Amino acid sequence: MQLFRRPSIYALPSYSLTGDLLGFLRCGLQYRYTRIGNLPSTRPVQLWFGQFIHGVLEESFRRFDTARKAGTIDLPPWTDARIAEICDLLKARLAAQGIYPYDATLEDLGDKRAKRAINELGPELFPLIRRAEVRLTGARALPTSKIPKQYQFREADRYEMVGVIDVISSVELQNPLVQNNRFVKAILAGLPSTPPNAFEVIVDYKGMRRPPVKAAGQTSLWEIYGWQVQTYGELRRRQDDSLQVTAGLIIYLNELFHTRTDFDLLRKEIKDNTTDIKPAPGSKAEQLILGWSKGQDPPELPFEFRLERALRVEPIDKASVDKALVQFDEVVAKIETCRGKELGNGKILSTWDKNSSDDSTCAACDSRTFCPEFKKETSPRLPAIAQK
Ligand code: SF4
């Protein structure tokens, strides 16, 4: 009898859109320590806020849906006490996982944004929701042609793409109930042509402000979030129960409640012409933005303008999906290359790509004290004579 050697283990590397791709594009070195190395952050500001606001919206929809299935329409706006009870429940759930708000200011801001999100978005968004928290998975060929030979280290020739869609909404245009729905109007206005009567839209909540469409540095958050919904669209299309996926709707939740920093950035982006949504000349929103001075609390902008800034519609079609998948492959190839380099030379600092272009990413990073890129950006330098 001939005995064979056991084949080596075929492990499929798994890459998620948010945890891996976005993490690496924000900064490779930070991604290496926090995601691959599992080092917990000492200032998990975004972790708490992101999970809190997503959880609040999911729990609120669950309550609306339970009432709807029992024959009652229980749409927001809801009372402060009811929303506070939902917020407390979410805080307790996160605390059980060891995730706490960094300080009382962040917690208060989270409560205010949660209230706005439920009461301002819920009445028109919840009735459109078909499913929440939809898990997606798919496989693609590992982009070995983009990874230098000396850094290729895997047996696998494919990789797994994973993601979770916050919400899938289904729209039936002939349904009279959606005729005046602001979300449906925004989606239709953002599509290049009339969609079929029944279609799906992938909704992705972002616990952040609307990023500028033109950004300095290597990472354009605008583009990255665009690829993300395109890729979700493709993975969703492969599921049996999907309708035609025509668009992604990204909701930038921080636009519902502005802080001073948000207001300052908004004014700057309007002045530099780097944002796509500006107030109309002479509008109330424009007067409030121009009339605000830095020491003051920001005024409340009209809801229509805040909603316009919060909603971004990304039409999904074959060409846009193909483009996004190529970008996905490119990032996977970069991560694989960094991993291969580290395996080869045993060094971390010099092998992983660094990106110090986003101040907020570096501000919350625990590697600042030894990160060469951060030091290069922030260390004082002596005047010198340029080398010829
Ligand atoms: S300090 Fe900035 S550049 Fe350095 S690892 Fe952290 S996020 Fe990256």
Side-chain angles (χ1 to χ4, degrees):
M1 183 184 147
Q2 194 182 353
L3 291 176
F4 296 97
R5 272 181 63 198
R6 184 189 291 214
S8 37
I9 296 168
Y10 186 91
L12 209 62
S14 182
Y15 284 105
S16 93
L17 279 149
T18 42
D20 292 294
L21 265 75
L22 295 179
F24 179 81
L25 286 167
R26 275 182 182 273
C27 175
L29 184 61
Q30 191 188 63
Y31 164 79
R32 164 64 181 83
Y33 283 124
T34 55
R35 177 89 181 173
I36 299 182
N38 283 328
L39 268 182
S41 168
T42 54
R43 274 166 294 182
V45 176
Q46 193 53 35
L47 180 69
W48 181 82
F49 180 66
Q51 298 213 10
F52 172 72
I53 200 82
H54 276 79
V56 162
L57 280 166
E58 195 191 331
E59 176 65 24
S60 303
F61 168 69
R62 197 189 60 73
R63 293 181 183 203
F64 159 79
D65 197 41
T66 306
R68 180 169 60 178
K69 284 176 182 151
T72 314
I73 297 300
D74 180 22
L75 275 172
W78 293 339
T79 62
D80 287 358
R82 193 169 173 195
I83 293 174
E85 184 254 313
I86 295 174
C87 290
D88 289 345
L89 176 74
L90 261 297
K91 285 175 203 168
R93 276 188 203 160
L94 291 175
Q97 298 166 40
I99 304 172
Y100 299 93
Y102 182 55
D103 57 20
T105 313
L106 179 67
E107 184 176 351
D108 182 51
L109 190 58
D111 288 342
K112 286 178 175 148
R113 287 192 168 135
K115 184 177 164 191
R116 290 277 172 94
I118 294 171
N119 283 348
E120 294 188 338
L121 303 182
E124 292 180 81
L125 180 63
F126 289 171
L128 299 177
I129 296 178
R130 185 167 164 220
R131 284 177 64 193
E133 291 283 305
V134 181
R135 300 203 167 264
L136 303 168
T137 166
R140 277 180 73 72
L142 204 60
T144 38
S145 63
K146 294 176 179 155
I147 306 168
K149 271 255 170 315
Q150 68 271 33
Y151 301 132
Q152 292 181 15
F153 62 99
R154 295 207 190 259
E155 285 290 321
D157 57 353
R158 301 182 74 70
Y159 74 91
E160 183 193 29
M161 301 161 82
V162 290
V164 180
I165 299 180
D166 289 331
V167 159
I168 291 176
S169 66
S170 65
V171 180
E172 279 184 40
L173 290 179
Q174 279 164 11
N175 181 348
L177 294 176
V178 306
Q179 298 306 318
N180 290 317
N181 187 296
R182 275 180 270 217
F183 289 87
V184 176
K185 283 185 182 171
I187 293 162
L188 293 179
L191 291 176
S193 56
T194 312
N197 177 44
F199 61 93
E200 271 185 14
V201 175
I202 285 168
V203 181
D204 197 47
Y205 304 133
K206 294 279 177 224
M208 60 181 286
R209 61 185 297 277
R210 188 184 191 92
V213 283
K214 297 175 210 157
Q218 326 163 13
T219 316
S220 159
L221 290 177
W222 182 265
E223 274 184 323
I224 298 168
Y225 293 129
W227 305 336
Q228 185 194 350
V229 284
Q230 297 287 345
T231 318
Y232 279 176
E234 168 62 10
L235 293 176
R236 172 64 185 155
R237 187 187 61 76
R238 295 185 199 171
Q239 293 186 326
D240 287 341
D241 64 339
S242 68
L243 298 173
Q244 183 177 328
V245 182
T246 55
L249 177 67
I250 304 173
I251 307 183
Y252 296 110
L253 295 164
N254 291 15
E255 295 291 343
L256 299 174
F257 184 93
H258 293 113
T259 60
R260 288 181 194 190
T261 313
D262 295 333
F263 231 71
D264 201 23
L265 286 169
L266 174 59
R267 265 211 325 211
K268 187 171 178 310
E269 287 164 12
I270 292 170
K271 189 168 152 267
D272 299 346
N273 201 23
T274 51
T275 183
D276 59 331
I277 302 290
K278 294 177 229 161
S283 63
K284 181 154 186 240
E286 188 191 58
Q287 288 166 16
L288 289 169
I289 293 167
L290 295 182
W292 174 75
S293 54
K294 272 196 178 182
Q296 299 172 333
D297 281 337
E300 184 173 327
L301 298 175
F303 174 58
E304 294 300 332
F305 180 67
R306 286 186 287 117
L307 187 68
E308 201 185 347
R309 281 200 53 86
L311 303 186
R312 169 180 169 193
V313 178
E314 271 287 311
I316 296 178
D317 58 29
K318 187 168 178 326
S320 60
V321 166
D322 288 349
K323 206 169 140 204
L325 290 174
V326 170
Q327 300 296 344
F328 202 115
D329 285 347
E330 298 268 352
V331 184
V332 168
K334 282 185 187 164
I335 301 176
E336 289 284 306
T337 304
C338 290
R339 290 184 111 148
K341 278 186 195 170
E342 187 189 328
L343 272 174
N345 67 19
K347 293 181 179 154
I348 295 179
L349 276 182
S350 56
T351 46
W352 285 83
D353 295 353
K354 299 152 212 74
N355 174 17
S356 58
S357 66
D358 181 25
D359 292 346
S360 60
T361 306
C362 288
C365 179
D366 293 325
S367 313
R368 279 181 309 166
T369 48
F370 56 86
C371 168
E373 192 74 14
F374 184 73
K375 281 189 183 159
K376 213 163 48 183
E377 290 278 317
T378 53
S379 300
R381 276 170 236 154
L382 287 172
I385 298 167
Q387 302 289 320
K388 296 213 172 143

